[in-house]
Amino acid sequence: MLLASSAKQIDANLSSLAAQIEQQNPDLSVLAAREFRFAIRQTPLEVAISEPREFNVLEEFILRAGVEFDPAPTLQELADLLGLDKIFVKTAAENLVGLEILKVADNGKIALALQGQDFFDKGAVSRSHIQSIYAISDPLNQTLTFKFDALPAESTNLPDLTDFVSLEHKITDLADLSIAEIQPPIEASGLGIHVPENGKIVSKCDVIGDDVEIWQIVSVFVLLDAIENKTTIQLRQGKQILETASNRLNELESQQKLLLNELCKSTEEIAQPESETIPVPKTRKQTSKKKRKEIESENK
């Protein structure tokens, strides 16, 4: 379905980009270009991040003593052996006890805890810390991304794209996702907090606040391809083409679930004869019947 060339609706602040598109693609004409707003959803989260920490020299010595000494030594005996004040050995041992790697009896004798041998073999212990992040759900591009900082809330008076197109979030409620489901998009967001190959794992994720809607601006272009004689819808944010969103709107338009005349404020009929829609280049003009008869008469 084609928009009549006389029905062009190009927002003033998109006229420069529309001209650039036509200049870079001589076979394309921009029939309409409008800006709309749509809301993304921002959700505050807290994630627990577990990552390995290598044992320091004193911690490794204490654990090795617990494995190799028979009978098991006391903290005082280890301090005497190392020539250190007992307070240093005790502090290091308490850290290992807190990590559930070491046990210290009332008489000061040490022993490895249940999982202590495994950590000792690895030479590292898993430590955990809490990090605040934000989940950004984009219903137009069907993406779920994560950021450290909240996006600013800005107001805009542009028409709402959802007045013309139904937009649904890919994930309805983040709280319903398992940790296994939320780890891949966190990793793909490039925050560096979930890097399994380095032993860095997001082990827990909690929603800690309400969802906030953040307005975004999207530009909708209706393009006419003179070679293929068809129109396509292209969505952009700035100069970036939104492939997924563009494909979706084109599919809706082909199913007649999206009307271009409504989207582009056109008061003309969408369906137009090709002669009204696509001006034929001078180099492609055919000689009129009247002109051909005159030429034929002259030749006779």
Side-chain angles (χ1 to χ4, degrees):
M1 306 297 281
L2 304 177
L3 282 169
S5 58
S6 61
K8 282 190 175 184
Q9 293 289 337
I10 298 179
D11 289 353
N13 57 337
L14 294 177
S15 58
S16 177
L17 182 54
Q20 183 179 344
I21 291 173
E22 292 182 335
Q23 183 179 13
Q24 293 175 347
N25 305 273
D27 296 326
L28 293 182
S29 295
V30 178
L31 299 185
R34 293 189 64 198
E35 283 189 326
F36 295 88
R37 65 176 181 171
F38 72 99
I40 60 175
R41 187 179 64 203
Q42 178 172 270
T43 307
L45 307 172
E46 275 189 354
V47 294
I49 306 165
S50 300
E51 56 184 316
R53 174 182 71 79
E54 293 185 356
F55 296 119
N56 61 39
V57 174
L58 182 54
E59 289 172 337
E60 184 177 357
F61 180 82
I62 294 172
L63 292 175
R64 185 173 297 279
V67 172
E68 298 179 355
F69 285 24
D70 188 21
T74 64
L75 295 179
Q76 184 62 61
E77 289 172 338
L78 290 177
D80 294 341
L81 184 62
L82 294 170
L84 296 174
D85 191 298
K86 181 182 176 182
I87 189 64
F88 295 111
V89 178
K90 183 179 179 183
T91 299
E94 287 174 347
N95 288 336
L96 295 172
V97 170
L99 295 170
E100 299 182 354
I101 298 173
L102 189 73
K103 296 187 293 184
V104 179
D106 293 339
N107 61 2
K109 284 186 176 293
I110 65 170
L112 264 62
L114 185 61
Q115 56 184 352
Q117 182 68 56
D118 183 48
F119 284 122
F120 175 70
D121 293 339
K122 292 178 180 177
V125 64
S126 178
R127 61 179 178 180
S128 181
H129 65 277
I130 302 298
Q131 173 72 54
S132 295
I133 61 173
Y134 294 86
I136 309 297
S137 177
D138 184 332
L140 181 61
N141 295 292
Q142 290 291 287
T143 58
L144 177 63
T145 57
F146 296 84
K147 296 181 179 295
F148 285 126
D149 300 317
L151 295 174
E154 299 179 358
S155 60
T156 174
N157 293 322
L158 291 171
D160 193 336
L161 187 61
T162 58
D163 290 339
F164 307 92
V165 183
S166 175
L167 299 180
E168 296 182 1
H169 290 275
K170 187 176 182 180
I171 305 299
T172 305
D173 191 346
L174 285 173
D176 293 336
L177 294 182
S178 67
I179 191 63
E181 291 172 317
I182 209 167
Q183 286 171 340
I186 289 180
E187 182 179 5
S189 295
L191 299 182
I193 60 176
H194 185 76
V195 189
E197 59 268 28
N198 295 338
K200 206 169 186 178
I201 303 293
V202 170
S203 55
K204 187 179 180 183
C205 179
D206 293 317
V207 175
I208 60 171
D210 295 331
D211 295 336
V212 177
E213 288 193 339
I214 307 292
W215 288 114
Q216 299 287 288
I217 297 175
V218 63
S219 303
V220 178
F221 291 81
V222 179
L223 307 177
L224 172 63
D225 189 322
I227 301 298
E228 297 186 9
N229 188 24
K230 78 173 195 177
T231 57
T232 57
I233 303 172
Q234 185 183 90
L235 274 68
R236 295 186 178 216
Q237 282 187 303
K239 293 187 177 182
Q240 180 186 1
I241 298 174
L242 307 179
E243 297 289 354
T244 299
S246 298
N247 292 339
R248 184 182 179 203
L249 262 65
N250 279 299
E251 182 179 355
L252 291 174
E253 197 275 332
S254 68
Q255 297 170 353
Q256 297 185 347
K257 296 179 180 179
L258 173 65
L259 299 178
L260 291 186
N261 58 341
E262 293 183 5
L263 189 69
C264 302
K265 297 191 301 188
S266 172
T267 57
E268 305 287 337
E269 294 291 333
I270 284 185
Q272 297 291 333
E274 291 182 16
S275 59
E276 294 182 23
T277 305
I278 309 172
V280 181
K282 292 182 179 179
T283 54
R284 298 184 184 180
K285 277 188 176 178
Q286 295 181 352
T287 307
S288 67
K289 291 182 179 179
K290 182 178 180 182
K291 188 68 174 177
R292 285 203 302 270
K293 287 180 179 179
E294 292 174 358
I295 294 172
E296 290 170 0
S297 298
E298 292 174 1
N299 290 337
K300 289 178 179 178

